[in-house]
Amino acid sequence: SQQGEEDPQALSIQEGENATMNCSYKTSINNLQWYRQNSGRGLVHLILIRSNEREKHSGRLRVTLDTSKKSSSLLITASRAADTASYFCATDASRGSTLGRLYFGRGTQLTVWP
Amino acid sequence: KAGVTQTPRYLIKTRGQQVTLSCSPISGHRSVSWYQQTPGQGLQFLFEYFSETQRNKGNFPGRFSGRQFSNSRSEMNVSTLELGDSALYLCASSTGDRNTGELFFGEGSRLTVL
């Protein structure tokens, strides 16, 4: 399976702290994406990093990608209560039929306490 | 620009019945993908359609089927429902480029099978 795995499964922090989530995957990829999901809702795309990129920033988000270790991390700086959600990494596959298909991890449940 | 619209949002069925879920993609998007989300299995890819053709299919039994219309709207059907089909069914649209980029998700259809 190419499914990514996030670590930790759950993370609880105070507002203002930074939150770091990690993702590992198994096979070669074209890109890796991070999505956010509020309870029972649809997924919202946060950021995409291509396999030839090592780091990417978007607002309070910082994503790193290490293709040699097949891992990525998502850092949310200065967390807010509104950041409380599940965060998923998703990969495509660099070989075979990948059209429209992303492989999702099980997600990290982030809780930010006021 | 309107987002991805899924209907119905909630539905309850009994075992043996069938269900049809609908998805209207973002205007101009030609690719529609479907995912099943359950607590036990996480997010699982069902299938992807582009210009009315199924381009990719996940590992689900033949009871799960779909189609796409000329206006890119898509439907998925599950026949002979089983208790294990209870899940959040998510539809996502994209431009349909060769390498899967950002997916835009709807809010999902939550199916409960009794």
Side-chain angles (χ1 to χ4, degrees):
Chain A
S1 168
Q2 190 179 337
Q3 191 173 36
E5 291 295 332
E6 288 92 345
D7 171 64
Q9 287 188 317
L11 180 60
S12 186
I13 60 174
Q14 294 290 131
E15 266 192 330
E17 295 181 338
N18 295 341
T20 300
M21 289 159 265
N22 303 297
C23 168
S24 60
Y25 57 93
K26 297 181 179 178
T27 65
S28 298
I29 62 172
N30 294 305
N31 64 62
L32 183 144
Q33 303 178 46
W34 285 89
Y35 286 82
R36 163 197 169 125
Q37 183 180 36
N38 287 68
S39 181
R41 307 291 296 276
L43 279 74
V44 176
H45 180 263
L46 295 176
I47 196 165
L48 179 153
I49 186 167
R50 302 196 185 284
S51 60
N52 61 355
E53 298 176 308
R54 291 297 167 258
E55 187 171 315
K56 203 163 183 179
H57 296 253
S58 177
R60 294 184 295 113
L61 306 179
R62 172 178 170 255
V63 170
T64 62
L65 178 64
D66 187 336
T67 53
S68 67
K69 295 181 179 178
K70 292 185 170 60
S71 68
S72 172
S73 68
L74 170 68
L75 168 67
I76 304 174
T77 60
S79 295
R80 306 164 182 168
D83 293 329
T84 295
S86 292
Y87 292 82
F88 295 88
C89 70
T91 57
D92 67 350
S94 62
R95 298 178 183 176
S97 179
T98 71
L99 302 166
R101 180 171 195 166
L102 292 179
Y103 297 84
F104 286 87
R106 291 302 187 99
T108 292
Q109 173 61 50
L110 172 67
T111 303
V112 182
W113 298 99
Chain B
K1 196 182 243 187
V4 177
T5 303
Q6 290 189 246
T7 57
R9 288 292 313 279
Y10 303 92
L11 64 167
I12 300 173
K13 294 285 187 178
T14 57
R15 282 186 303 172
Q17 287 187 313
Q18 73 164 8
V19 65
T20 299
L21 309 178
S22 179
C23 173
S24 292
I26 289 173
S27 178
H29 284 187
R30 298 167 66 188
S31 170
V32 173
S33 304
W34 289 89
Y35 289 80
Q36 180 197 62
Q37 186 177 28
T38 60
Q41 298 298 318
L43 282 150
Q44 302 286 313
F45 173 77
L46 283 156
F47 26 65
E48 187 260 1
Y49 288 88
F50 182 87
S51 293
E52 302 179 66
T53 300
Q54 185 183 89
R55 296 196 300 186
N56 206 347
K57 188 177 187 302
N59 297 323
F60 278 82
R63 300 185 297 107
F64 292 80
S65 63
R67 60 178 175 169
Q68 186 181 34
F69 302 95
S70 58
N71 61 359
S72 293
R73 190 177 70 84
S74 177
E75 289 181 348
M76 67 162 284
N77 183 276
V78 187
S79 62
T80 318
L81 285 166
E82 301 177 359
L83 296 179
D85 297 333
S86 293
L88 181 65
Y89 289 89
L90 294 162
C91 163
S93 78
S94 72
T95 58
D97 293 341
R98 173 62 182 86
N99 295 326
T100 303
E102 177 181 354
L103 297 184
F104 295 81
F105 283 84
E107 294 288 0
S109 292
R110 181 164 298 280
L111 170 65
T112 301
V113 182
L114 302 176

